Structures are given as structure tokens and as C-alpha cells.
Amino acid sequence: MATIMMVIMIGLLLLGFPMMVPLITGAVVGFVMMFDGFGQMGTFVQQMMGGIRPASLIAVPMFILAADIMTRGQSADRLIHMVMAFIGHIKGGLAISTATSCTLFGAVSGSTQATVVAVGSPLRPKLLKAGYSDSFSLALIINSSDIAFLIPPSIGFIIYGVISGTSIAELFIAGIGPGVMILMMFSIYCLIYAYINKVPTEERAGWRERGVAVREALWPLFFPVIIVGGIYGGIFSPTEAAAVCVLYAFLLEFVVFRSLKLPDIYRIAKSTGLITAVVFILVAVGNGFSWIISFAQIPQTILEAVGVNEAGPVGVLIAICIAFFVACMFVDPIVVILVLTPIFAPAIEATGLDPVLVGVLITLQVAIGSATPPFGCDIFTAIAIFKRPYWEVIRGTPPFVFMLVAAAGLIIAFPQIALFLRDVAFR
């Protein structure tokens, strides 16, 4: 049954169908084979509806809406200006500013695609003018945006938390350490690249200019304070934090900055509604698919066949990293989390692994795969936004992928990189 389901899904995917079609077709075929017909199809529909019933999923459209408001407004530009004022003058400063801006905007949006658009659009022309190659600039923007998947709020953490039953608040704070570590790795590489390629430095900003930049960016900088401080101060839950972020983004862009007008609300709401619909359809279908394969004990069969259950905790983590990394090179990240997480759940439970550590590694692999050829979703976002050919977009990615894989290895070897802040906040 598992073989037939996979053949159908891969075949439909290769024929160009949207991911939800192969997923639901494979699940329905598996259901029919398992229950000998469509008589119990209501049970499958109930499982699908159950996938989108958790209240914590309300945070997903809220964070998408907040990110959309800020992307169309001035928040991203103000954050970029502040970062440039402080580190733009050092060797490789513009590239380091790009990586830092992606991290900061990720802390207010939680979306890799929104980060590519909001940060990449204004900074790519500056990188090219400063002497950086287009392949390096595109790779830097794409891979730095992946830090947004680790820095709270992260939509990937929300989906994983709902599927696995792991605390979203713990996942949020556990992502900060790895995100900062990756930013430091990228910054060192940017510094080395600038020295090797003799990239000129930018003009140093005066302290007066820096003060103005900080004052202008002060309001957007309150986003991570609201999210992290509110959640860990016990003021509100992650879902309530998402709602507060929407209100704050609305007041900021429509009232304080006045960068958006009331007619813009329709376009923003429409865009958010379309993205949310796709996400929730994938979550519903993915939950139905996960129920089918769990009911048929397919995960246990697969794990026993490849010997993962006997591999020990480190072996299981390495297997998880490889599976999620490879899968996200071909399939949408949300779908990968929905499908693969239940498959590895028995091995995670059997080896006694910390689900928060597993969640950080899964989200990191999802981020890496999203920016890795052949079909990483961030690659095609960059192609659409920057109007550059496929090969030029992916040419500069190998060094960044290597650093991200190395970061995953460091987290496996030293779990406290991810768990230290979690333990401080919750233990």
C-alpha cells in the first residue's frame, strides 16, 4: 500500500499538480485500500478537519497578516537603515548588514518569503553597486532569509508544534540560539568574501545619523519585544501574541508611519487570505495523510526497514536531518513537516529525544532545503522577485548550504546551543 501511495504522489507531482492534489490523492487511495471502499470516508474527512481545529493554528494567519502589512510599509526599510548605520562601514559591512536585516525582519515576520521580498528588494541593488557579484548577493539574501524560520515568530515552529504536540513557546525561544549562531557564521563568511574579492567599504555613518536611524527603527524593534517578552513574561500565549502583532503592525504602518492607506487593507487581506487558505488546506490534507499512514503502521515499517530504531539518539537525529533536508529540496516545507514528523515520531519517542531539540533541527533542515536546488521554494521566490535565471540564482548557494549543514552538526553535537535559553526560561 505504501508503495502504491508513493508512486501515485510522485507521478502526480511530476505531472505538475499542486502539492495538495498528490497528497490528498495518495491519502484517499490508501484509505480505500485499507477500508475496502469509500464507506468510511467520513472518518477521513473528520481527521482532515481535526488537523485545522487546534486553536494555536490561528497564529499562522495572524503572523502572515502582520508580515504582509510590514512588507508593504516602512518597517523593513527602517530596520535596514539602522543596521547599515552601525555596521555598513566595516569590511563586508553591506553583506553583513543584509544578513542581520534578514534576521531582524524574521523576528517581526516569521516568513522566509516575506523576508526575501522586504530585505532583498532594497539591498540587492546596493550589493551589486558595492561590487558584490549577483550570484553571491542572491545566495546571501535567500539563505539569510532562512534565519527567519528559526527566529520567533516562526510559522515552521507553529506547524511542528501543532503536529507533534510540542510547546510552541519553548520552540520559539529554542530557535534564538541557532539563529544567532548562523548569523555569526554568515557574517564571518561575508567578511572573508569581501577581503578576497577586495570589495570596497561603505562610508562610516556619524553618531548623529546613527541616532536618527535608531529612533526611526525603534517602533519596529518593539515587535520581537512584544512577542518574546509577552510570551515569556506570561502576559499572553503565542496565539495571542500573533493577534497583538497584527494590531501593532496596523497601528504602526497606518497611524504612526502613515505609509499605508485604508484602501490597502483590501489588497493585504486578500493576499493573506489566499496564503492562509493554501496553508490550511495543506495542514488539513497532511493531517489526513498522517492518520492513514499511522493507522497502517507505515512509519514503524519504514523505520524498522532502514534500521533507524536501533541507531540510537544521534543516529535518529542524523536520519531526521537527512530526510527533511532532501525532502524540502523537492516539496513545500509545510507538507514535509506534516508528512515526515509522524513517520519519525515512534523513533523520537523510543530514543527519548527532547522534542524541542528535534523541532529546532527539523525547522533548520526545512529552512536549508527551502533554499537548496533543485526546487527549494525560496529559490523560485527570488527568481520571481529579482527576474534572474535559475542557474544564476543557485550558483552562489553551496557555501551557505555548507554552513547551514555545519550548524546542524553543531546543534547535534552541542544541544545546549538550542536548549540553553529554553532551560533558563522553562526549567
Side-chain angles (χ1 to χ4, degrees), residues 155-219:
I155 294 174
F157 279 146
I158 295 172
I159 300 296
Y160 170 80
V162 169
I163 294 298
S164 65
T166 307
S167 167
I168 295 174
E170 291 189 27
L171 288 167
F172 274 3
I173 200 167
I176 296 175
V180 173
M181 178 182 70
I182 293 169
L183 172 61
M184 294 173 63
M185 295 170 73
F186 283 5
S187 299
I188 293 171
Y189 175 65
C190 291
L191 180 65
I192 296 171
Y193 179 94
Y195 272 108
I196 292 175
N197 293 276
K198 297 181 174 56
V199 178
T201 57
E202 300 289 309
E203 184 178 349
R204 180 191 293 266
W207 283 106
R208 180 182 179 84
E209 184 180 347
R210 291 176 179 178
V212 172
V214 170
R215 188 168 66 249
E216 291 179 345
L218 202 56
W219 289 107

Side-chain angles (χ1 to χ4, degrees), residues 98-339:
T98 301
T100 306
S101 298
C102 287
T103 303
L104 286 177
F105 191 76
V108 301
S109 71
S111 168
T112 58
Q113 283 91 343
T115 305
V116 169
V117 175
V119 178
S121 297
L123 281 181
R124 176 173 166 266
K126 294 182 179 180
L127 288 165
L128 297 178
K129 185 178 179 181
Y132 294 93
S133 68
D134 202 12
S135 59
F136 171 84
S137 303
L138 291 168
L140 174 65
I141 292 167
I142 293 171
N143 287 277
S144 296
S145 69
D146 289 339
I147 302 175
F149 233 52
L150 291 168
I151 299 292
S154 165
I155 294 174
F157 279 146
I158 295 172
I159 300 296
Y160 170 80
V162 169
I163 294 298
S164 65
T166 307
S167 167
I168 295 174
E170 291 189 27
L171 288 167
F172 274 3
I173 200 167
I176 296 175
V180 173
M181 178 182 70
I182 293 169
L183 172 61
M184 294 173 63
M185 295 170 73
F186 283 5
S187 299
I188 293 171
Y189 175 65
C190 291
L191 180 65
I192 296 171
Y193 179 94
Y195 272 108
I196 292 175
N197 293 276
K198 297 181 174 56
V199 178
T201 57
E202 300 289 309
E203 184 178 349
R204 180 191 293 266
W207 283 106
R208 180 182 179 84
E209 184 180 347
R210 291 176 179 178
V212 172
V214 170
R215 188 168 66 249
E216 291 179 345
L218 202 56
W219 289 107
L221 285 173
F222 271 110
F223 274 103
V225 175
I226 291 172
I227 296 168
V228 178
I231 292 173
Y232 303 110
I235 301 173
F236 37 64
S237 69
T239 303
E240 293 165 342
V244 172
C245 278
V246 172
L247 176 62
Y248 189 70
F250 183 88
L251 292 175
L252 211 59
E253 300 295 352
F254 283 90
V255 179
V256 179
F257 298 157
R258 297 184 180 180
S259 56
L260 298 174
K261 306 297 181 184
L262 288 180
D264 294 321
I265 295 177
Y266 172 77
R267 292 196 298 274
I268 294 172
K270 180 180 178 181
S271 173
T272 300
L274 290 172
I275 297 172
T276 302
V278 172
V279 171
F280 272 56
I281 289 172
L282 290 174
V283 171
V285 175
N287 194 69
F289 183 87
S290 300
W291 177 73
I292 292 292
I293 63 174
S294 298
F295 193 87
Q297 294 190 328
I298 293 175
Q300 291 85 341
T301 303
I302 294 174
L303 295 178
E304 288 176 6
V306 298
V308 171
N309 288 333
E310 291 77 31
V314 174
V316 171
L317 288 176
I318 293 173
I320 288 172
C321 289
I322 293 173
F324 277 84
F325 172 54
V326 173
C328 283
M329 292 166 60
F330 299 93
V331 183
D332 184 85
I334 293 176
V335 175
V336 174
I337 294 174
L338 292 170
V339 173

